[in-house]
Amino acid sequence: MATPSKKTSTPSPQPSKRALPRDPSSEVPSKRKNSAPQLPLLQSSGPFVEGSIVRISMENFLTYDICEVSPGPHLNMIVGANGTGKSSIVCAICLGLAGKPAFMGRADKVGFFVKRGCSRGMVEIELFRASGNLVITREIDVAKNQSFWFINKKSTTQKIVEEKVAALNIQVGNLCQFLPQDKVGEFAKLSKIELLEATEKSIGPPEMHKYHCELKNFREKEKQLETSCKEKTEYLQKMVQRNERYKQDVERFYERKRHLDLIEMLEAKRPWVEYENVRQEYEEVKLVRDRVKEEVRKLKEGQIPITRRIEEMENERHNLEARIKEKATDIKEASQKCKQKQDVIERKDKHIEELQQALIVKQNEELDRQRRIGNTRKMIEDLQNELKTTENCENLQPQIDAITNDLRRIQDEKALCEGEIIDKRRERETLEKEKKSVDDHIVRFDNLMNQKEDKLRQRFRDTYDAVLWLRNNRDKFKQRVCEPIMLTINMKDNKNAKYIENHIPSNDLRAFVFESQEDMEVFLKEVRDNKKLRVNAVIAPKSSYADKAPSRSLNELKQYGFFSYLRELFDAPDPVMSYLCCQYHIHEVPVGTEKTRERIERVIQETRLKQIYTAEEKYVVKTSFYSNKVISSNTSLKVAQFLTVTVDLEQRRHLEEQLKEIHRKLQAVDSGLIALRETSKHLEHKDNELRQKKKELLERKTKKRQLEQKISSKLGSLKLMEQDTCNLEEEERKASTKIKEINVQKAKLVTELTNLIKICTSLHIQKVDLILQNTTVISEKNKLESDYMAASSQLRLTEVFQDLPNTLDEIDALLTEERSRASCFTGLNPTIVQEYTKREEEIEQLTEELKGKKVELDQYRENISQVKERWLNPLKELVEKINEKFSNFFSSMQCAGEVDLHTENEEDYDKYGIRIRVKFRSSTQLHELTPHHQSGGERSVSTMLYLMALQELNRCPFRVVDEINQGMDPINERRVFEMVVNTACKENTSQYFFITPKLLQNLPYSEKMTVLFVYNGPHMLEPNRWNLKAFQRRRRRITFTQPS
């Protein structure tokens, strides 16, 4: 057992869930008997880095009942046999620091990590902090599959625990920091990109991974902006090109429109000029022009009072509309009051109508009562007359009693018949079940026979075809013809099939057996000559050998281990058995056991048998013709191929006879059922007739009593109707009084309604007057506005006309010129101009959007350039340091390895990755580390050395590696172990957990490393009895007292 160095201390046993202070003189933590391991701990003191694990406490966790581990600040080597609970400590670290259960590769629910049979479990991790240690406790509830978190004994949430753990740069989900046993193989499966991400998180500065993520996001946004800019630029170019094609047409359109507008103005001025020329001479033109100027001035001055008048009209209109609204409100209120009065009047009318209707109802009820009284009296008279004519029914009782007796007798017969039918049905069901059972047995026998036939078809197809032909043509033969011997033989025990198959040649096993030479010739002619099938046929002896007795009794041979002759091992038809006894003497060949084999020489000498079978061999004994010496030869028995399927033909025949008997019984039962159903039908018919007669007699007997009851009931009803009288005159008087009162109220309401209607009418008249005034004002306003617009139009026309020629010749010349120019613009479409204008607006909008996108893209590129410089340069330096240490580790093992930053495109930041290339033989080239190219041991070595290269650069407070040396050969394992010890035990390095189930001999150890031995067994000591120092003292005493 490997031991650590000089200073040793062990933690105290923990009988409860909470940790106790450590005592250097006490013992290691242990567990209850027959439970999880105990951990004797040997460690050296040393400084812990921020976030290192000071203590691990477990209760009801995986294999542990109660256990506490106190690791050292440097290399912690956990050693123990498989299954003792080493990986349980790794699981405790992961789950205690808020790791996901699925990351361990054991289970996806945290409840599965609690010891079987326990309802709760607990993991407690104490982390070193300069400001005061951090104690994280996770209690696990199995029933709810839920965790409860505590920090320094105070309840908290998982999110806060994750934040505290992340603040100490602990990443239990990072394979570069935490490599559990079930994830060792996955490290080599990490892609270059995943390895870079894990390395950045593990040893890079805190901002390195953040910069990388920002770069990927910036690059993704940059790609989107580039794509957007490209698409918008292409679309803008297409729009500009399309507008360029139509630009000339649009310019021509607007040029033509200008000419047409000028023509319109010229045509408007020409009549005015003609009129002026006709009306006065040239001398008066100047005066007219002055007058026109004066008119223009007056028109401008005249527009001011018109505008003022329009405003006054508008104000008056607003006042009138307000008064109209007031009147409308008053009218609405008056209308509502009128409506209320009308509703009240309608209710009064309805009340009068209800009173009148109630009076009519009472009148109708009285008439109906008088009519019903008359009808009832007439019905009583009719019933009394019918009662007088009804005969005396006392003499009907004997007839009823006789019919009742007959019915009772028929019911008994029916019950008896139904019972017999039920018995027959049960008997039929029983027979059906027996029939199904027998059919199933026959089917199973047929299936066994089919297995034999399948073997024959697979091995000897011609023989199988001949069997099918024989089954269809048995009428062509005079005597019995047996199918091939292998089909007709039925072994009593299929274990003995090997003796028969080794004794009878294959050619005879597939031979047909005939009793007649003539039949055999007919068969061979048809099958061999016509159908060209290769088959064998034999003839049975004329005198049967089937029952021929053996020359020696079997009882004489039992002393040698023989238990049967070959003939007794199987059943076969008489011709087949006779042929085999005659040809192969199966009645003379005994079968023995291993006992026979053991004394075979004695058997041969004493029995003089010619052929003998033992358990696995066949012996043939011959006597030399010349020397009379006994010569024997033996051969091993071949495995049976054809006769292993056993069919009990006698039982099958018995089942067929049983099936026929069942069919006969079923027919008898069916016939009985038919007869019983006919009898039941006849009894049912007779029962119905008797019941009908009894019903008629009972009706006749009860008719008189019924008439008396009806008369009594009608007399009672008549008395009630006569008592229920109504005074119609009084009711009419009351109704008239109420109607008069309501009419008085109604008259008053009508007077009030009339007044309201007058008020409403007056308001409507006032509203109409106001509306008429408003209409007049609006009409005057519209007229003024029209005059104002006409004056403005005349003013504008006058101003425009001043710019046009003043003579007819000049106007005609200009008109001709403009019309000629306008006629040159042909084939112009106004739709093109509309589309052109719309595209111009889109082009302007797109240009602005594109400008904004380019500005945004430039900003992103500037951000990428800045972040890339802050990320890539430190990353290259970091990878170079890793490569330097990784290469040195491989060089010390006489191998080669390198680590580099790999990317296909410098701008694709999501494709950057770390590439590990190694070679373990001088004759090969460097190959990338993959799950397929290197062996398991080579991958383990490469993984371990990469993690060691990260060790001195690592920012994380501790690293865990579980059983990574499993696939290494002893040489590589020794080299790697030396590197781990040298690297992990340096000053200012993080804590290291190395888990292994085995250690080589004579390994180097450091004073700074801590070795924890995990062991368990059925004879573990209780925690309070474990004392390592006491054991050491006892060991020294034993050593000193032993004789030299």
Side-chain angles (χ1 to χ4, degrees), residues 92-133:
I93 295 173
C94 178
L95 296 181
L97 296 176
K100 304 295 182 186
F103 179 73
M104 304 303 301
R106 289 193 173 198
D108 56 352
K109 294 183 178 179
V110 71
F112 291 147
F113 288 86
V114 176
K115 187 176 181 181
R116 183 172 297 178
C118 299
S119 61
R120 296 178 74 88
M122 185 274 293
V123 175
E124 189 170 84
I125 308 291
E126 183 176 352
L127 302 176
F128 176 78
R129 283 195 314 186
S131 59
N133 288 1

Side-chain angles (χ1 to χ4, degrees), residues 262-324:
L262 184 57
I263 290 170
E264 185 179 356
M265 295 302 297
L266 290 169
E267 288 177 346
K269 185 173 182 180
R270 191 175 187 283
W272 183 75
V273 173
E274 288 176 352
Y275 173 77
E276 288 296 326
N277 288 338
V278 172
R279 193 173 62 85
Q280 61 182 5
E281 298 295 334
Y282 175 75
E283 290 84 12
E284 297 174 355
V285 172
K286 186 175 181 181
L287 295 174
V288 172
R289 185 184 61 187
D290 294 338
R291 190 169 65 245
V292 169
K293 287 182 179 179
E294 182 64 23
E295 287 178 0
V296 170
R297 185 184 62 76
K298 289 179 180 180
L299 284 171
K300 288 182 179 180
E301 292 176 355
Q303 283 181 345
I304 295 172
I306 293 174
T307 304
R308 190 178 298 112
R309 180 60 181 159
I310 289 172
E311 291 177 356
E312 292 174 357
M313 290 292 181
E314 183 68 19
N315 294 332
E316 187 177 356
R317 185 181 68 80
H318 284 305
N319 293 332
L320 288 172
E321 286 180 352
R323 291 173 63 190
I324 289 170

Side-chain angles (χ1 to χ4, degrees), residues 85-338:
K86 304 183 301 301
S87 296
S88 298
I89 300 173
V90 178
C91 294
I93 295 173
C94 178
L95 296 181
L97 296 176
K100 304 295 182 186
F103 179 73
M104 304 303 301
R106 289 193 173 198
D108 56 352
K109 294 183 178 179
V110 71
F112 291 147
F113 288 86
V114 176
K115 187 176 181 181
R116 183 172 297 178
C118 299
S119 61
R120 296 178 74 88
M122 185 274 293
V123 175
E124 189 170 84
I125 308 291
E126 183 176 352
L127 302 176
F128 176 78
R129 283 195 314 186
S131 59
N133 288 1
L134 180 69
V135 179
I136 300 173
T137 306
R138 181 176 192 170
E139 294 184 357
I140 304 168
D141 189 321
V142 176
K144 298 180 181 178
N145 190 41
Q146 190 176 0
S147 297
F148 302 95
W149 296 90
F150 302 87
I151 293 181
N152 294 332
K153 313 301 181 185
K154 294 180 181 179
S155 180
T156 186
T157 63
Q158 182 173 348
K159 184 177 180 181
I160 294 176
V161 172
E162 290 173 350
E163 292 173 355
K164 294 283 187 182
V165 170
L168 294 171
N169 198 36
I170 297 174
Q171 306 163 21
V172 291
N174 189 340
L175 292 182
C176 287
Q177 178 177 345
F178 199 92
L179 193 61
Q181 179 180 352
D182 295 320
K183 297 286 184 178
V184 170
E186 291 189 13
F187 186 88
K189 296 179 184 178
L190 287 177
S191 66
K192 295 187 283 291
I193 299 170
E194 293 170 336
L195 184 59
L196 173 60
E197 184 176 351
T199 304
E200 284 178 339
K201 291 179 179 179
S202 178
I203 66 171
E207 65 276 4
M208 179 175 285
H209 183 64
K210 175 186 171 186
Y211 288 155
H212 192 185
C213 293
E214 288 180 359
L215 275 176
K216 288 189 283 188
N217 294 333
F218 286 160
R219 177 56 181 162
E220 186 65 27
K221 188 66 177 178
E222 182 187 18
K223 288 181 180 178
Q224 294 175 2
L225 287 171
E226 287 176 348
T227 304
S228 178
C229 288
K230 183 179 178 181
E231 292 174 354
K232 288 184 181 296
T233 302
E234 292 175 355
Y235 184 64
L236 180 61
Q237 289 175 354
K238 289 179 182 178
M239 297 284 284
V240 171
Q241 291 172 2
R242 193 176 301 170
N243 262 17
E244 285 295 328
R245 287 198 299 269
Y246 295 114
K247 185 176 182 181
Q248 188 175 359
D249 291 344
V250 172
E251 291 176 352
R252 292 175 66 240
F253 179 85
Y254 282 117
E255 181 68 22
R256 179 174 177 271
K257 188 173 184 304
R258 285 194 295 273
H259 290 301
L260 292 176
D261 291 343
L262 184 57
I263 290 170
E264 185 179 356
M265 295 302 297
L266 290 169
E267 288 177 346
K269 185 173 182 180
R270 191 175 187 283
W272 183 75
V273 173
E274 288 176 352
Y275 173 77
E276 288 296 326
N277 288 338
V278 172
R279 193 173 62 85
Q280 61 182 5
E281 298 295 334
Y282 175 75
E283 290 84 12
E284 297 174 355
V285 172
K286 186 175 181 181
L287 295 174
V288 172
R289 185 184 61 187
D290 294 338
R291 190 169 65 245
V292 169
K293 287 182 179 179
E294 182 64 23
E295 287 178 0
V296 170
R297 185 184 62 76
K298 289 179 180 180
L299 284 171
K300 288 182 179 180
E301 292 176 355
Q303 283 181 345
I304 295 172
I306 293 174
T307 304
R308 190 178 298 112
R309 180 60 181 159
I310 289 172
E311 291 177 356
E312 292 174 357
M313 290 292 181
E314 183 68 19
N315 294 332
E316 187 177 356
R317 185 181 68 80
H318 284 305
N319 293 332
L320 288 172
E321 286 180 352
R323 291 173 63 190
I324 289 170
K325 287 181 181 178
E326 292 176 359
K327 295 298 179 183
T329 303
D330 295 340
I331 290 170
K332 185 176 179 181
E333 291 176 355
S335 299
Q336 287 178 350
K337 291 179 180 179
C338 289

Side-chain angles (χ1 to χ4, degrees), residues 708-724:
E708 291 173 349
Q709 289 175 353
K710 286 183 180 178
I711 290 170
S712 176
S713 175
K714 293 298 179 182
L715 288 171
S717 299
L718 180 61
K719 186 176 180 180
L720 290 174
M721 284 188 288
E722 288 176 345
Q723 291 176 354
D724 188 16

